[in-house]
Amino acid sequence: MFDALAERLESAWKTLRGQDKISESNVQEALREVRRALLEADVNLQVVKDFVAEVQTKALGEEVVAGVRPDQQFIKLVYDELVSVMGETNIPLAEASPAPTVILMAGLQGTGKTTATAKLALHLRKENRSTLLVATDVYRPAAIDQLVTLGKQIEVPVFELGKDADPVEIARQGVERARAEGINTVIIDTAGRLQIDQNMMSELARIKETIQPHETLLVVDAMTGQEAASLTRTFHDQIGITGAILTKMDGDTRGGAALSVRRISGQPIKFIGVGEKVDALQPFYPDRMASRILG
Ligand code: GDP
């Protein structure tokens, strides 16, 4: 495991063999390699700096365990710290009692938000949780059609009021409908923009204020790398998120955005999207992601 990092660390540790404490210069050299590996995995620069500083504190003064190669011991420390920062275990979706659980989806256009909305519904159906999808993106008529089409495909009802209705009102009525029909979970798809846009933010804030969701999930495109950090900060500061879905993890990204999102919001990644199909959604596991990030 972590062959790439192990190889990089090889020279950093050559001088260490036979010593019983990990020395400062070994650690500095090894940390430079960790830093490089994390940046290559697209972790945000500031997040990398903070992470490396924490690992440094822990690594210095660690006793070398007899029979364990110091480079392996160091890699284990980095790995454990990554898993810890990303939350140790999978955190499942909230389930409200009484129903319905209300989930608000947020994110930029093109990240996979509408697809993730349908993927979540299918996931919940497999857990015998009924869902209602709500289409509030009235700015792009194609967005409503897209959700309706996906709903048909997975046999989940979609609530919409056309493109002339107020998104806040659509969301409110959607939740009412779910409550009236005894539906377990209602998922509100919202409008995205190509970039952060104040109108989009204030509309999201109004929807959130009105429907008081149990989950506000930020959909983040894993391919955006470094930018995932500022995106998360803006959404979390202005709307307040309870978790994230990292999409397009089937691409060649190492997934460093996961670390950035978690560090900046303090909220867990709950799922990853691994393809365009509606069943391409997996629960997020910090240990698997740590392995992928370290390469
Ligand atoms: P939205 O504008 O955020 O609602 O984005 P869409 O749900 O319309 O998705 C934008 C594009 O990304 C579509 O072509 C999707 O098929 C694609 N997409 C969404 N999620 C994934 C994913 O996990 N992997 C891949 N490869 N493509 C995805």
Side-chain angles (χ1 to χ4, degrees):
M1 219 182 353
F2 321 130
D3 292 344
L5 185 62
E7 229 165 79
R8 288 163 182 264
L9 293 177
E10 189 64 26
S11 66
W13 296 109
K14 273 200 183 115
T15 48
L16 191 78
R17 309 260 156 80
Q19 297 179 31
D20 60 1
K21 243 189 190 342
I22 296 176
S23 80
E24 179 142 11
S25 69
N26 292 133
V27 168
Q28 294 307 350
E29 211 173 318
L31 285 172
R32 267 198 295 280
E33 295 301 335
V34 170
R35 187 185 146 94
R36 225 172 273 164
L38 293 179
L39 287 174
E40 276 171 23
D42 265 342
V43 181
N44 171 266
L45 181 60
Q46 188 57 49
V47 173
V48 172
K49 283 185 178 161
D50 294 347
F51 180 83
V52 167
E54 274 156 41
V55 171
Q56 176 171 15
T57 311
K58 292 199 174 158
L60 280 174
E62 249 212 356
E63 300 291 326
V64 174
V65 180
V68 178
R69 276 176 48 192
D71 52 348
Q72 296 297 342
Q73 191 183 330
F74 179 81
I75 287 169
K76 170 101 176 38
L77 193 151
V78 173
Y79 170 79
D80 287 347
E81 188 65 16
L82 268 181
V83 174
S84 155
V85 168
M86 288 192 289
E88 302 285 354
T89 56
N90 173 260
I91 314 281
L93 274 182
E95 183 163 12
S97 180
T101 302
V102 179
I103 301 177
L104 181 64
M105 306 292 281
L108 295 183
Q109 188 180 318
T111 52
K113 181 161 30 67
T114 301
T115 310
T117 303
K119 285 175 173 178
L120 262 189
L122 184 62
H123 171 85
L124 289 171
R125 206 183 69 186
K126 288 177 186 159
E127 291 183 348
N128 293 320
R129 289 172 65 172
S130 58
T131 52
L132 176 68
L133 304 182
V134 180
T136 72
D137 185 356
V138 296
Y139 308 101
R140 291 186 311 131
I144 300 177
D145 295 344
Q146 187 188 354
L147 196 65
V148 169
T149 305
L150 286 166
K152 281 201 185 108
Q153 198 183 325
I154 57 172
E155 297 173 358
V156 166
V158 176
F159 180 83
E160 52 115 351
L161 294 174
K163 64 174 176 51
D164 297 323
D166 170 22
V168 179
E169 189 53 23
I170 303 170
R172 196 187 63 73
Q173 288 192 31
V175 174
E176 271 316 304
R177 171 72 64 92
R179 185 168 293 125
E181 295 187 357
I183 288 170
N184 179 278
T185 301
V186 49
I187 312 176
I188 322 282
D189 189 21
T190 60
R193 302 275 199 283
L194 290 173
Q195 278 157 353
I196 301 270
D197 170 303
Q198 217 34 61
N199 288 333
M200 169 182 79
M201 285 302 190
S202 55
E203 180 176 293
L204 256 181
R206 278 184 291 124
I207 292 178
K208 186 174 179 197
E209 174 68 28
T210 303
I211 61 172
Q212 301 282 320
H214 304 95
E215 293 270 18
T216 302
L217 299 179
L218 178 63
V219 179
V220 180
D221 179 343
M223 306 290 283
T224 55
Q226 293 275 325
E227 282 164 34
S230 57
L231 178 86
T232 302
R233 184 165 290 119
T234 306
F235 272 87
H236 195 47
D237 285 354
Q238 297 200 18
I239 314 293
I241 64 169
T242 59
I245 298 180
L246 208 57
T247 61
K248 308 189 188 176
M249 283 298 293
D250 50 316
D252 59 6
T253 171
R254 298 246 302 277
L259 190 64
S260 306
V261 170
R262 174 76 203 213
R263 271 304 284 240
I264 284 165
S265 68
Q267 302 300 317
I269 319 284
K270 298 211 164 177
F271 294 93
I272 57 172
V274 292
E276 298 195 40
K277 299 223 173 77
V278 274
D279 61 354
L281 186 77
Q282 294 172 359
F284 172 81
Y285 289 105
D287 52 352
R288 290 184 203 166
M289 190 61 78
S291 303
R292 181 159 169 169
I293 289 175
L294 288 180

